[in-house]
Amino acid sequence: MRKLAELDGEYGGWLEIDPVKLKRVAIEFKEWLLTVDPNNDPFGFLKYDLPLVNAVLDGELSLPYHHPNPHNWEIREGVLDGYVEISAPFYNTIRGALYQPPDVIKKNGRYFAWTEFEDPEI
């Protein structure tokens, strides 16, 4: 559904996060995380990522999230095969990342733009 959502002037992303998309990408990422062997988790996916995903699913994480990905170094070094593809939708969603510059509407010193939110399942 098309929605007028507020932009974060300080960070440039969305202040309002699509709850349907958020739940979908969190579940998909959690499913991947649960395939990680706890006895062979040298990058700490279960220590760093899983609690964040659980906080999102429990509605306990303040959004948008403005902290770095816990694996930035490993991502830059290219040592996390498959991780970026599964984690990027989650991290981009919780940060309110913009995929392209929107047509900004300014109202009373605040910034808004039209965006698409996923329709809830009926």
Side-chain angles (χ1 to χ4, degrees):
M1 82 184 117
R2 193 160 190 243
K3 180 174 184 156
L4 188 63
E6 188 170 1
L7 294 166
D8 184 343
E10 182 177 353
Y11 294 98
W14 300 107
L15 284 176
E16 187 176 355
I17 308 299
D18 179 344
V20 176
K21 179 179 181 181
L22 178 63
K23 183 177 180 180
R24 179 179 55 78
V25 297
I27 289 170
E28 289 170 1
F29 190 28
K30 184 173 182 173
E31 287 173 356
W32 182 87
L33 288 167
L34 293 177
T35 67
V36 173
D37 179 357
N39 298 312
N40 185 20
D41 185 15
F43 299 110
F45 298 131
L46 300 176
K47 178 181 178 182
Y48 299 111
D49 297 281
L50 187 56
L52 192 58
V53 170
N54 285 334
V56 164
L57 291 172
D58 294 339
E60 298 172 353
L61 187 69
S62 178
L63 298 172
Y65 182 77
H66 295 300
H67 302 282
N69 184 305
H71 309 290
N72 277 341
W73 180 86
E74 294 91 342
I75 292 169
R76 283 193 309 271
E77 294 298 317
V79 297
L80 296 180
D81 289 340
Y83 174 80
V84 173
E85 291 78 14
I86 191 66
S87 68
F90 173 77
Y91 280 102
N92 287 338
T93 301
I94 65 173
R95 288 190 181 104
L98 299 170
Y99 293 106
Q100 61 187 4
D103 293 326
V104 176
I105 301 165
K106 188 173 180 180
K107 287 181 166 182
N108 301 324
R110 296 166 56 193
Y111 300 92
F112 299 85
W114 287 101
T115 189
E116 290 293 326
F117 272 39
E118 293 182 10
D119 289 324
E121 298 279 332
I122 298 175

